[in-house]
């Protein structure tokens, strides 16, 4: 038995063992490492942007677009060949997400004030031009898109008559159609929906109603809530 074991590590047997183990090591370790090095795998919900020195590479603008701002090279989900010595890729999350707008006090057409809490759903467009805007031209996509959506919401509430905002299934499509094109142009993202999550009359409006003398001939139209609010007011000074 001892002679058989020592015979495996001598002469031609040792040479065969070294060659076979080297081939197995190459097959199991080296080849997968090289494949991983020269292949880029983009997962679902992501996109890859070609970069050089950490910055996206801008290609010449297409003639059909005609805005002169160029595009980035985008890889969609799947496995793609790569040349890491010269080019690298940065992953971008292109899944839908939601961003809250700060609570705002907005005044309607007839003086009603609303405390509006809203949010908007959005996702990046997976195109070379739109992702270029997302990556290079905008410091904070959420802030700029929020400003555009907030302005559209303010304009809509300013035209509103009455103390109640429309339901989301009516308000959201109207706001999306009003500012979706500007959001894409300025931010490179798709506006999916605008949702109002809270709405209430402010204390300022209730105070103005409470201080207003009721019409004795229109007692039925007097808002009891305003009267209760007025009774709770205390003088200062």
């Amino acid at each position: 038995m001892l002679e058989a074991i020592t015979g495996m590590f001598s002469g031609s047997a040792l040479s065969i063992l070294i060659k076979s183990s080297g081939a197995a090591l190459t097959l199991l370790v080296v080849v997968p490492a090289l494949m991983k090095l020269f292949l880029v795998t983009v997962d679902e919900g992501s996109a890859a942007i070609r970069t050089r020195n950490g910055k996206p590479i801008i290609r010449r603008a297409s003639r059909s677009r005609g805005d002169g701002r160029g595009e980035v090279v985008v890889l969609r989900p799947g496995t793609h060949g790569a040349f890491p010595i010269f080019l690298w890729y940065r992953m971008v999350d292109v899944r839908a997400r939601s961003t809250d707008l700060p609570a705002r006090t907005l005044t309607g057409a007839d003086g009603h004030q609303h405390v509006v809490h809203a949010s908007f759903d959005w996702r990046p467009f997976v195109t070379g031009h739109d992702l270029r805007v997302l990556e290079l031209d905008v410091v904070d996509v959420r802030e700029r898109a929020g400003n555009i959506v907030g302005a559209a919401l303010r304009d809509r509430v300013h035209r509103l008559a009455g103390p109640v905002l429309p339901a989301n299934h009516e308000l959201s499509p109207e706001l999306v159609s009003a500012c979706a094109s500007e959001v894409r142009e300025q931010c490179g993202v798709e506006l999916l929906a605008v949702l109002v999550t809270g709405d209430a009359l402010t204390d300022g409006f209730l105070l103005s109603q409470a201080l207003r003398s009721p019409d004795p001939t229109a007692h039925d139209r007097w808002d009891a809530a305003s009267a209760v609010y007025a009774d709770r007011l205390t003088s200062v000074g």
Side-chain angles (χ1 to χ4, degrees):
M1 177 64 70
L2 182 61
E3 294 178 356
I5 295 176
T6 55
M8 294 178 58
F9 296 96
S10 61
S12 60
L14 181 61
S15 176
I16 295 174
L17 181 62
I18 293 175
K19 291 181 179 179
S20 59
S21 61
L25 182 65
T26 302
L27 183 63
L28 296 177
V29 178
V30 177
V31 173
L34 289 176
M35 292 181 63
K36 186 176 181 180
L37 184 63
F38 289 97
L39 292 176
V40 174
T41 300
V42 183
D43 297 330
E44 190 69 26
S46 300
I49 294 180
R50 185 179 295 173
T51 64
R52 181 184 292 116
N53 297 327
K55 297 181 179 180
I57 300 174
I58 307 300
R59 297 188 303 180
R60 182 177 300 178
S62 59
R63 296 181 180 180
S64 59
R65 188 172 296 275
D67 58 5
R69 292 192 290 177
E71 299 179 347
V72 296
V73 178
V74 180
L75 301 183
R76 295 178 177 271
T79 301
H80 309 270
F83 300 94
I85 298 177
F86 306 101
L87 303 172
W88 295 92
Y89 293 88
R90 183 172 65 197
M91 297 296 172
V92 178
D93 187 357
V94 295
R95 294 172 295 180
R97 64 207 76 175
S98 181
T99 299
D100 293 330
L101 293 172
R104 303 177 63 185
T105 301
L106 304 177
T107 304
D110 54 1
H112 288 275
Q113 291 182 326
H114 306 267
V115 176
V116 181
H117 301 262
S119 64
F120 63 97
D121 300 336
W122 60 278
R123 65 186 172 197
F125 282 100
V126 189
T127 66
H129 179 76
D130 292 304
L131 286 183
R132 178 196 184 278
V133 176
L134 175 70
E135 290 296 312
L136 297 181
D137 294 345
V138 179
V139 176
D140 191 336
V141 169
R142 293 176 177 86
E143 180 179 357
R144 179 174 291 188
N147 291 337
I148 297 172
V149 174
L153 180 60
R154 177 203 61 202
D155 295 342
R156 177 62 182 89
V157 173
H158 282 181
R159 301 192 304 269
L160 176 67
V164 181
L165 289 177
N168 277 317
H169 71 272
E170 299 177 2
L171 185 62
S172 180
E174 183 178 350
L175 293 175
V176 170
S177 63
C179 60
S181 59
E182 185 177 0
V183 169
R184 177 170 186 174
E185 180 66 23
Q186 297 295 325
C187 307
V189 299
E190 177 184 8
L191 182 63
L192 301 175
V194 181
L195 304 176
V196 175
T197 56
D199 171 37
L201 294 175
T202 65
D203 292 345
F205 174 73
L206 293 177
L207 178 61
S208 66
Q209 289 292 91
L211 295 179
R212 185 182 304 166
S213 298
D215 184 358
T217 62
H219 180 72
D220 295 339
R221 298 198 302 270
W222 171 245
D223 187 359
S226 299
V228 172
Y229 187 84
D231 292 339
R232 295 183 180 179
L233 294 176
T234 58
S235 60
V236 179

